[in-house]
Amino acid sequence: MTDLVDSMLDLMRRLPPTRTEENVNALIGICPDYADDLLGSVDQPLQLKTDRATGREYLACDYNRDGECYRSPWSNEYDPPLDDGTVPSSKLRKLEISANEAFDTYREMYFEGGVSSVYLWDLDDGGFAGVVLLKKVMTPASPNEPSGSWDSIHVFETAERGRNAHYKLTSTVMLQLITRKSSEPEDDKKGGDKKGTEGWKRDGEVSLSGSMTRQSEQDWGIHDQSSHITNTGRMIEEMEIKMRNLLQEVYFGKTRDVVYDLRSVDDLEKTRRQRELQKELVGFIKR
């Protein structure tokens, strides 16, 4: 069993991240007995659903799934209806409601749109765990505009120790960006026959996608149950900012460097002369 699941996970790491859902469903079709193991180990783009009772949107993933049903954080009901579905205790449910309200504000502050959901569940050792989900989709208004999606999955465990609590946070960000360019040359529209690059027709698409996972552990003081929302919120906020900066500075920066190394925009001979001139100027300054 372990070898088979490991093989499926190893295969998923080598398949295109843009087709994660399709590939997971294909593997489940081949090995249906290991569906729960695969779904619990592979991060997939979050599904958007609507609560039938309240009409509000919520996010679905493996953490609010029971069989083929998903629990809404707004009404605490499953869709499709499930009589014996797993739900948090009444005390934890109150905290879950407050957490959803708090992270709904967080979502509006940092994403200016999208959907957020928080789910909590009790642990056997007396503590509790939860997951904070955030998703925003950029839908193009025209075929030439870029599109993309951001999915955040923050799973945390809480263990109270007197007036303090120990938190373990595992954060995963899935990002997908698609840039399209399609335009007719201006000369064709005007009926001209001008030659050169200005008369070319530009048509293409660039897709960048992938996921990143980071972990963190911290101890924070607690005054009441609401302190858990403040503490986890602070950890998630700091983690998302770090991961956002990593994506921009390291991953996108490295991609840009690789493209520039493959094909320079400027004349390489001109660039070489500029570097030599800079070295000479630096030499004069040091004298």
Side-chain angles (χ1 to χ4, degrees):
M1 171 182 174
T2 305
D3 293 339
L4 182 56
V5 174
D6 289 342
S7 297
M8 289 192 292
L9 295 178
D10 190 53
L11 179 61
M12 286 298 304
R13 283 190 288 268
R14 288 162 170 76
L15 294 173
T18 54
R19 302 176 63 182
T20 300
E21 293 177 282
E22 180 182 343
N23 295 329
V24 168
N25 291 333
L27 289 175
I28 291 176
I30 298 173
C31 305
D33 295 337
Y34 302 108
D36 289 337
D37 297 290
L38 188 61
L39 291 173
S41 303
V42 177
D43 291 317
Q44 300 185 66
L46 301 169
Q47 301 178 38
L48 190 63
K49 294 184 175 294
T50 302
D51 190 324
R52 296 182 180 181
T54 64
R56 298 187 65 175
E57 293 181 325
Y58 67 95
L59 298 173
C61 67
D62 191 59
Y63 295 99
N64 67 321
R65 180 179 65 89
D66 194 332
E68 299 299 324
C69 306
Y70 293 92
R71 182 173 68 89
S72 167
W74 309 119
S75 63
N76 203 30
E77 297 177 358
Y78 278 88
D79 183 21
L82 187 65
D83 296 332
D84 57 347
T86 304
V87 295
S89 61
S90 58
K91 178 181 178 181
L92 199 60
R93 173 58 184 162
K94 292 180 180 179
L95 185 63
E96 185 181 75
I97 293 173
S98 300
N100 272 284
E101 294 174 353
F103 278 99
D104 192 50
T105 304
Y106 170 87
R107 170 198 56 77
E108 189 61 35
M109 289 174 58
Y110 282 98
F111 293 86
E112 294 184 344
V115 181
S116 65
S117 296
V118 181
Y119 302 100
L120 305 180
W121 59 90
D122 298 281
L123 298 177
D124 296 334
D125 59 4
F128 72 92
V131 61
V132 178
L133 308 175
L134 296 157
K135 182 182 184 72
K136 182 175 181 180
V137 178
M138 183 174 63
T139 305
S142 66
N144 294 335
E145 292 186 3
S147 62
S149 63
W150 172 290
D151 295 79
S152 297
I153 303 175
H154 303 279
V155 184
F156 64 89
E157 291 184 11
T158 304
E160 295 185 6
R161 300 171 180 175
R163 295 184 178 180
N164 294 317
H166 182 72
Y167 301 92
K168 295 180 180 179
L169 175 66
T170 301
S171 299
T172 299
V173 169
M174 289 170 283
L175 182 65
Q176 180 178 353
L177 300 174
I178 298 177
T179 303
R180 301 180 181 89
K181 182 65 178 178
S182 178
S183 62
E184 294 290 342
E186 294 295 329
D187 297 317
D188 289 349
K189 297 178 182 179
K190 298 177 181 180
D193 57 352
K194 183 179 178 180
K195 296 181 180 180
T197 57
E198 295 180 0
W200 289 358
K201 177 181 178 180
R202 297 174 295 277
D203 189 5
E205 177 178 301
V206 176
S207 176
L208 292 174
S209 60
S211 64
M212 176 196 301
T213 300
R214 294 292 184 271
Q215 294 182 326
S216 175
E217 292 190 30
Q218 294 185 30
D219 292 308
W220 294 97
I222 53 174
H223 306 288
D224 50 32
Q225 283 294 97
S226 62
S227 297
H228 292 302
I229 300 176
T230 304
N231 296 337
T232 55
R234 184 184 295 113
M235 292 180 66
I236 290 173
E237 182 180 27
E238 292 176 354
M239 181 65 78
E240 280 211 331
I241 291 175
K242 290 179 181 178
M243 297 177 78
R244 167 68 173 78
N245 290 337
L246 274 174
L247 285 170
Q248 179 176 346
E249 297 174 7
V250 179
Y251 290 84
F252 290 152
K254 190 65 176 177
T255 301
R256 184 181 63 246
D257 293 342
V258 170
V259 173
Y260 284 171
D261 286 342
L262 290 173
R263 208 294 187 184
S264 174
V265 177
D266 300 321
D267 185 351
L268 290 177
E269 180 63 25
K270 179 181 178 182
T271 303
R272 185 183 62 80
R273 290 196 300 266
Q274 289 177 345
R275 289 177 180 175
E276 291 178 353
L277 179 59
Q278 289 176 353
K279 290 180 180 179
E280 292 180 6
L281 293 174
V282 171
F284 287 124
I285 293 174
K286 290 182 177 180
R287 291 178 183 178

